[in-house]
Amino acid sequence: MSRFVHLHVHSHYSLLYGMMKPKKIAAYAKERGFSAISLVDYGSMYGAIEFYQACVENGVKPIIGFEAYIAPRGMEDKDPELDKELYNLVLLAENYDGYRNLMRLTSEGHLRGTFNGKPRLDKITLKKYSQNVIALSAGIKGEIPRLLRAGKIDEAKRVALEYKDIFGENNFFLELQDHPALEGQIDVNTKLVTLSKETGIPLLVTRDVFYASPEYAEAQDIMCCI
């Protein structure tokens, strides 16, 4: 198991979605033999320092990031109809400079992009602070998966190449997730494999993690209902 690394893990700072405290994530990673673990809470990095310190204490490499909300147009466009949709995109710090850019991005999202309670970014801002940042296409709510699910294959290819251009060669990945209970997930995964072959963008396998073990599923469902 030590060769696999979770790159899409949420803590309780993903409010009303995640259940685990950052210290628990680090402890679970050590207990289960993972060499590294990520933290990618929605729109924010509130738990980054706590998570980093806990990982160091447990001898686990911390991978810091957040799951960004991407506006369909500019992040300062806030039309109730045109801008009500948003897309997810996972951002990870490659090194300390990448971490500094992530801090700028999440700050920009909160200060300039917040709409309907979500701190959004746009591709112009992503490009500005993309150095030393690794991006993943996210789960079923990512822009590329949504286009694939809608059958818009050519547009999905264009967007994938656009993200590749923003983050650079080998710094953007198409994210395969093993969540067959989610409607459309298997179809999207199949199309992502084809898209990877056509664009040369590498694939990466993740799980969208909100709790530590299957027995917590009911508690997490109750929390989301709240």
Side-chain angles (χ1 to χ4, degrees):
M1 186 63 74
S2 61
R3 295 184 64 186
F4 179 80
V5 174
H6 276 293
L7 296 177
H8 199 137
V9 181
H10 297 266
S11 76
H12 66 159
Y13 288 110
S14 289
L15 302 179
L16 293 182
Y17 285 99
M19 292 191 66
M20 299 180 289
K21 296 180 179 179
K23 289 183 178 180
K24 284 289 187 181
I25 294 173
Y28 284 134
K30 179 181 180 181
E31 176 185 315
R32 297 176 188 191
F34 291 107
S35 60
I37 195 79
S38 76
L39 181 64
V40 291
D41 284 315
Y42 287 129
S44 70
M45 297 167 65
Y46 301 142
I49 300 301
E50 180 184 351
F51 171 72
Y52 176 85
Q53 291 173 340
C55 283
V56 170
E57 289 174 5
N58 282 277
V60 175
K61 180 180 178 180
I63 301 172
I64 297 173
F66 69 97
E67 186 161 3
Y69 296 113
I70 308 301
R73 302 191 298 163
M75 60 192 285
E76 295 184 67
D77 293 322
K78 301 177 183 180
D79 184 278
E81 286 302 316
L82 296 176
D83 302 297
K84 62 183 178 181
E85 297 291 337
L86 48 78
Y87 309 110
N88 292 18
L89 185 73
V90 174
L91 304 175
L92 303 171
E94 186 174 9
N95 51 32
Y96 182 65
D97 288 335
Y99 172 69
R100 288 170 60 89
N101 278 328
L102 289 187
M103 287 195 291
R104 289 299 302 264
L105 285 168
T106 186
S107 296
E108 289 287 316
H110 280 88
L111 293 172
R112 297 199 295 119
T114 297
F115 181 56
N116 288 336
K118 299 291 195 297
R120 308 169 310 151
L121 297 167
D122 57 29
K123 291 170 186 174
I124 293 175
T125 308
L126 287 174
K127 181 71 173 179
K128 185 176 180 181
Y129 300 109
S130 63
Q131 190 172 5
N132 300 120
V133 172
I134 296 171
L136 318 181
S137 61
I140 205 77
K141 293 183 179 179
E143 184 174 6
I144 295 167
R146 284 194 183 187
L147 289 170
L148 292 174
R149 190 175 177 188
K152 299 178 179 179
I153 308 301
D154 290 340
E155 191 173 349
K157 184 175 181 179
R158 179 190 63 78
V159 171
L161 292 172
E162 186 177 15
Y163 278 122
K164 180 181 178 181
D165 179 67
I166 289 172
F167 294 100
E169 193 78 27
N170 300 319
N171 270 38
F172 176 63
F173 295 82
L174 298 172
E175 189 172 350
L176 295 173
Q177 292 193 348
D178 182 20
H179 297 296
L182 290 178
E183 184 179 351
Q185 180 73 74
I186 294 176
D187 178 57
V188 165
N189 283 352
T190 301
K191 291 174 179 176
L192 283 170
V193 172
T194 301
L195 184 60
S196 174
K197 292 176 181 178
E198 292 178 352
T199 61
I201 299 172
L203 295 165
L204 187 147
V205 176
T206 70
R207 297 297 297 270
D208 201 358
V209 179
F210 292 94
Y211 48 88
S213 302
E215 59 264 29
Y216 295 112
E218 184 179 5
Q220 200 259 353
D221 187 47
I222 292 170
M223 181 177 66
C224 288
C225 290
I226 293 173

